């Protein structure tokens, strides 16, 4: 027998096949919608409970408005950046026609019944954002530094005078005397708001943030203020133009209505001026209270061991001035984290939940640690929807905070910590009052 006949046949080598595709994540078991506390009484605890139910859960906003709520950092970030998620209720919210038949839903129209960068989608958002962007360039923001410093010093002096008045006993309300007037004056000067209209604007923004009062009367009152306060500002600046952003936006409306309609002018002023002071009020106030809660970290900051930028970043992560923002909407079906958000369904933008996510920030995510310097927080948004006024808010807080603690190094809470009350809102995250003893 020859060698070739005696050799055993060589078996063929099987082809190397790619591994089978991973099976899609099984759908999560349904979860009953959870009602969001309209008072915002304990926002961290609320999101801890919701996170235990899953990375994205169904919730009911005040009045029973259904929405999806991301409870994790990665989930919220993915949805914010997803082009299938819109901010335009007129085009993409399936439940919008129901609002007029549900008086208890009227409060949400303060947010959704307007046309500005908060409710625009795609090219409309880009167009409106470009119109207000010149007010918040790095150069223009930096040019405001001396004015912010001057207003800060004036207010700090007035705080000391108020504390020294008979019967004050050294106690002042920091919100009323400092954290509110500082950003309010700065943004109102930038937009040319006359002094006589400032109180009306402050009341209007407070009414919009109020999610406790769901009555038809409250909603009607807000709409009435829309029709008086902002038109009064436009009329004033039309008659008395100046070197301010309101005058510039009026010029754009008059010269090119295709770029800015009358309604867009009205509500662009609303969102830019309102957001320009309301969020910074809470940012400064939250930082002061948080540092008084952590005297060892305050000492480290004042000794230069931790930067004020790091402090502000950590407060934005743990106690963001906006806890949740209504609403965004699915343009088409979105499969995410084992659930399907159907086209036309609403999504809550959950900044407070994202900042406290242990998956992102570790098991001590709920602990304030200024040395962490978590500059990846989402409190100012991300992508094309990042807050255009973030540099101004940082400038104001970065000026106000060190000046306050330098002028009054022994300041302390004038009430028991448990007596402080959150503003009545699941949207705004801040204090109703901040009573302080200056020395």
């Amino acid at each position: 027998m020859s060698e070739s006949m005696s050799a055993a046949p060589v078996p063929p080598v099987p082809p190397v096949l790619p591994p089978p595709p991973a099976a899609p994540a099984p759908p999560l078991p349904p979860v009953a919608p959870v009602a969001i506390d309209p008072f915002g009484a304990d926002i961290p605890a609320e999101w801890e409970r919701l996170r235990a139910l899953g990375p994205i859960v169904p919730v009911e906003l005040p009045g029973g408005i259904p929405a999806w709520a991301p409870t994790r950092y990665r989930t919220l970030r993915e949805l914010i950046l997803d082009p299938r998620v819109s901010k335009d209720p007129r085009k993409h919210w399936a439940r919008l026609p129901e609002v007029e038949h549900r008086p208890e839903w009227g409060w949400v129209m303060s947010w959704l019944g307007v046309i500005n960068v908060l409710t625009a989608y795609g090219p409309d958002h880009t167009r409106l954002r470009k119109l207000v962007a010149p007010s918040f360039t790095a150069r223009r923001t930096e040019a405001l530094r001396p004015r912010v410093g001057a207003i800060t010093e004036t207010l700090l002096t007035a705080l000391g005078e108020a504390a020294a008045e008979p019967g004050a006993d050294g106690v002042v309300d920091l919100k009323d005397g400092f954290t509110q007037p500082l950003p309010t004056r700065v943004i109102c000067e930038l937009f040319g708001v006359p002094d006589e209209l400032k109180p009306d604007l402050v009341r209007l923004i407070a009414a919009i943030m109020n999610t406790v009062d769901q009555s038809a009367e409250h909603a009607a009152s807000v709409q009435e203020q829309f029709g008086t306060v902002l038109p009064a500002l436009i009329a004033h600046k039309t008659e008395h133009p100046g070197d301010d952003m309101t005058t510039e936006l009026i010029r754009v409306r008059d010269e090119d209505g295709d770029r800015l309609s009358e309604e867009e002018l009205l509500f662009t002023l609303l969102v830019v001026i309102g957001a320009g002071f309301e969020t910074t009020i809470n940012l400064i106030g939250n930082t002061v209270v948080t540092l008084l809660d952590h005297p060892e970290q305050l000492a480290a900051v004042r000794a230069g061991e931790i930067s004020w930028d790091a402090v502000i970043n950590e407060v934005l992560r743990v106690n963001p001035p906006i806890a949740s923002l209504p609403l965004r909407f699915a343009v088409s079906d979105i499969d995410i984290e084992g659930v399907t958000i159907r086209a036309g369904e609403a999504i809550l933008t959950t900044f407070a939940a994202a900042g406290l996510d242990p998956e992102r920030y570790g098991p001590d995510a709920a602990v304030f640690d200024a040395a962490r310097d978590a500059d990846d927080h989402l409190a100012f948004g991300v992508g094309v929807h990042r807050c255009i006024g973030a540099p101004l808010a940082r400038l104001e807080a970065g000026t106000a905070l060190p000046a306050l603690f330098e002028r009054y190094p022994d300041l302390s809470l004038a009430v028991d910590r448990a007596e402080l009350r959150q503003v009545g809102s699941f949207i705004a995250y801040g204090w109703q009052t901040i009573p302080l003893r200056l020395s």
Side-chain angles (χ1 to χ4, degrees), residues 403-414:
L404 171 68
F405 284 101
E406 183 67 26
R407 179 79 73 94
Y408 303 111
D410 299 322
L411 64 82
S412 60
L413 283 176

Side-chain angles (χ1 to χ4, degrees), residues 66-68 92-94 328-331 340-347:
W68 289 98
H92 301 123
W93 189 26
R328 300 176 189 234
F329 313 95
V331 175
T340 299
I341 304 174
R342 299 295 179 188
E345 292 184 337
I347 303 165

Side-chain angles (χ1 to χ4, degrees), residues 133-151:
S135 295
F136 300 100
T137 61
R139 182 177 61 83
R140 189 158 189 172
T141 299
E142 185 58 33
L144 290 171
R145 186 179 295 277
R147 183 57 184 151
V148 173
I151 295 173

Side-chain angles (χ1 to χ4, degrees), residues 36-43 46 62 210-214 421-428 430 432:
I36 294 291
D37 176 16
F39 291 86
D42 192 343
I43 289 171
E46 182 169 55
N210 178 357
T211 58
V212 174
D213 190 344
Q214 299 150 37
R421 292 289 178 266
Q422 290 282 336
V423 295
S425 178
F426 79 90
I427 298 171
Q432 295 180 20

Side-chain angles (χ1 to χ4, degrees), residues 33-43 46-47 49-50 57-71 107 211-212 214 323-324 327 348 350 353 425-427:
V34 179
I36 294 291
D37 176 16
F39 291 86
D42 192 343
I43 289 171
E46 182 169 55
W47 286 113
R49 291 192 297 270
L50 288 169
V57 299
V59 295
E60 288 184 351
L61 307 187
I65 298 173
W68 289 98
T71 66
W107 69 269
T211 58
V212 174
Q214 299 150 37
S324 298
L327 281 167
L348 189 62
T350 50
S425 178
F426 79 90
I427 298 171

Side-chain angles (χ1 to χ4, degrees), residues 56 67-70 75 79 84-85 328-336 338-347:
I56 182 165
W68 289 98
T75 314
L79 286 169
R84 297 170 298 171
V85 175
R328 300 176 189 234
F329 313 95
V331 175
S332 58
D333 289 359
I334 300 173
D335 294 319
I336 184 169
V339 305
T340 299
I341 304 174
R342 299 295 179 188
E345 292 184 337
I347 303 165

Side-chain angles (χ1 to χ4, degrees), residues 54-121:
I56 182 165
V57 299
V59 295
E60 288 184 351
L61 307 187
I65 298 173
W68 289 98
T71 66
R72 295 205 175 273
Y73 180 102
R74 69 164 190 271
T75 314
L76 177 61
R77 190 177 191 280
E78 182 178 340
L79 286 169
I80 291 176
L81 295 174
D82 194 323
R84 297 170 298 171
V85 175
S86 166
K87 299 173 81 175
D88 190 339
R90 297 169 300 282
K91 295 178 181 177
H92 301 123
W93 189 26
R95 309 296 288 267
L96 183 62
E98 297 180 41
V99 174
E100 61 180 290
H101 305 295
R102 293 175 175 260
E104 70 275 18
W105 288 17
W107 69 269
V108 81
M109 295 311 291
S110 301
W111 294 90
L112 306 183
V114 298
I115 302 176
N116 55 36
V117 290
L118 279 184
T119 61
Y121 175 65

Side-chain angles (χ1 to χ4, degrees), residues 34-260:
V34 179
I36 294 291
D37 176 16
F39 291 86
D42 192 343
I43 289 171
E46 182 169 55
W47 286 113
E48 184 178 2
R49 291 192 297 270
L50 288 169
R51 191 177 295 110
L53 299 177
I56 182 165
V57 299
V59 295
E60 288 184 351
L61 307 187
I65 298 173
W68 289 98
T71 66
R72 295 205 175 273
Y73 180 102
R74 69 164 190 271
T75 314
L76 177 61
R77 190 177 191 280
E78 182 178 340
L79 286 169
I80 291 176
L81 295 174
D82 194 323
R84 297 170 298 171
V85 175
S86 166
K87 299 173 81 175
D88 190 339
R90 297 169 300 282
K91 295 178 181 177
H92 301 123
W93 189 26
R95 309 296 288 267
L96 183 62
E98 297 180 41
V99 174
E100 61 180 290
H101 305 295
R102 293 175 175 260
E104 70 275 18
W105 288 17
W107 69 269
V108 81
M109 295 311 291
S110 301
W111 294 90
L112 306 183
V114 298
I115 302 176
N116 55 36
V117 290
L118 279 184
T119 61
Y121 175 65
D124 285 334
H125 176 267
T126 302
R127 171 177 57 86
L128 292 173
R129 188 178 176 94
K130 284 182 177 179
L131 290 175
V132 297
S135 295
F136 300 100
T137 61
R139 182 177 61 83
R140 189 158 189 172
T141 299
E142 185 58 33
L144 290 171
R145 186 179 295 277
R147 183 57 184 151
V148 173
I151 295 173
T152 296
E153 292 303 319
T154 298
L155 292 173
L156 290 177
T157 297
L159 275 183
E161 294 171 350
E165 289 181 357
D169 195 26
V171 175
V172 294
D173 177 8
L174 188 73
K175 182 171 183 178
D176 182 64
F178 188 63
T179 70
Q180 185 175 80
L182 171 58
T184 302
R185 288 189 191 180
V186 172
I187 199 70
C188 285
E189 288 184 8
L190 187 59
F191 279 79
V193 179
D195 289 344
E196 62 268 22
L197 285 181
K198 291 176 185 177
D200 293 335
L201 271 171
V202 170
R203 281 192 292 269
L204 172 57
I205 300 303
I208 293 171
M209 291 290 177
N210 178 357
T211 58
V212 174
D213 190 344
Q214 299 150 37
S215 67
E217 292 76 15
H218 174 73
S221 173
V222 173
Q223 295 303 315
E224 181 181 357
Q225 291 177 71
F226 280 167
T228 56
V229 178
L230 295 164
L233 171 60
I234 294 170
H236 175 83
K237 297 310 298 181
T238 300
E239 186 174 350
H240 306 284
D243 183 18
D244 55 74
M245 197 57 198
T246 301
T247 299
E248 174 60 20
L249 290 174
I250 291 171
R251 185 195 64 76
V252 172
R253 176 204 61 182
D254 293 343
E255 294 181 4
D256 189 355
D258 290 339
R259 292 179 65 205
L260 187 67

